[in-house]
């Protein structure tokens, strides 16, 4: 398969330059399960959109420190593109910002997290198990970092997972999968990000994050499920 990676991460800091960009992270994520699959990265946050997204077999929308609610012109263009993909039932996966953008584009709503920043290892209850998700346990672990959440799902969406009563992923038909979290992040990266964000997180949230990171995510299992999602969506 050949997937488009719609890169939304607006972080151009010194920290960001010292680590792999999201295009590379998402490529590594899917190639962990399917080494022969190809990706092409589009920096949509800079206005660089695919000329024809539907020439690809599917798309992945990355995370970003930007807010979907900011009203930026590239975000409005992305929301229009998401609505077009849904109409065509084009296979699409969204993570964090991508999850929130898909929800917003299709009639859902966002809000601030009731308890502020969620950062570190998250534990998610699986609410719906399609055949491609058979390898996920009833509680699966992913790294997370967000201060906004989807407070209302699109009308026709099915909740996929939740954590502490908050939606952390949804499905729409066979063609859309989202997660509020960051399956593309490695353990080393989330540890480095936790140190970079120490001041923003505050001492209590930072300490909780480091304690949670004594365990690692279910990245490899999620990668396999993601590959199977794209395979069934393309049929």
């Amino acid at each position: 398969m050949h997937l488009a990676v719609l890169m939304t991460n607006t972080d151009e800091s010194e920290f960001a330059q010292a680590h792999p960009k999201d295009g590379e992270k998402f490529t590594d994520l899917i190639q962990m399960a399917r080494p022969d699959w190809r990706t092409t990265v589009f920096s949509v946050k800079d206005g660089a959109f695919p000329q024809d997204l539907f020439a690809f077999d599917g798309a992945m929308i990355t995370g970003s420190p930007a807010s979907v609610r900011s009203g930026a012109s590239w975000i409005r263009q992305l929301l229009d593109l998401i609505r077009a993909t849904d109409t065509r039932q084009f296979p699409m996966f969204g993570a964090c910002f991508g999850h929130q953008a898909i929800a917003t584009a299709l009639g859902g709503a966002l809000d601030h997290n009731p308890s502020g920043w969620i950062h570190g290892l998250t534990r998610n209850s699986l609410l719906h198990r399609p055949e491609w998700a058979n390898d996920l346990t009833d509680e699966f672990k992913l790294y997370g970092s967000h201060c906004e959440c989807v407070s209302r799902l699109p009308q026709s969406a099915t909740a996929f997972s939740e954590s502490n009563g908050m939606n952390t992923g949804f499905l729409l038909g066979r063609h859309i999968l989202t997660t509020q979290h960051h399956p593309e992040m490695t353990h080393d990266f989330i540890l480095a990000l936790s140190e970079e964000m120490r001041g923003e997180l505050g001492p209590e949230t930072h300490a909780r994050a480091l304690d949670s990171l004594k365990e690692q995510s279910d990245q490899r299992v999620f990668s396999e499920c993601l590959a199977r999602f794209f395979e069934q969506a393309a049929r």
Side-chain angles (χ1 to χ4, degrees), residues 29-40:
L29 174 67
I30 199 64
Q31 289 183 347
M32 186 179 294
R34 300 291 184 272
D36 58 333
W37 286 13
R38 295 180 297 133
T39 63
T40 298

Side-chain angles (χ1 to χ4, degrees), residues 3-7 26-27 30 39 58-62 93 226 230:
L3 303 179
V5 179
L6 306 183
M7 208 278 289
F26 276 80
T27 299
I30 199 64
T39 63
M60 299 186 284
I61 307 177
T62 75
F93 169 66
L226 180 59
F230 277 114

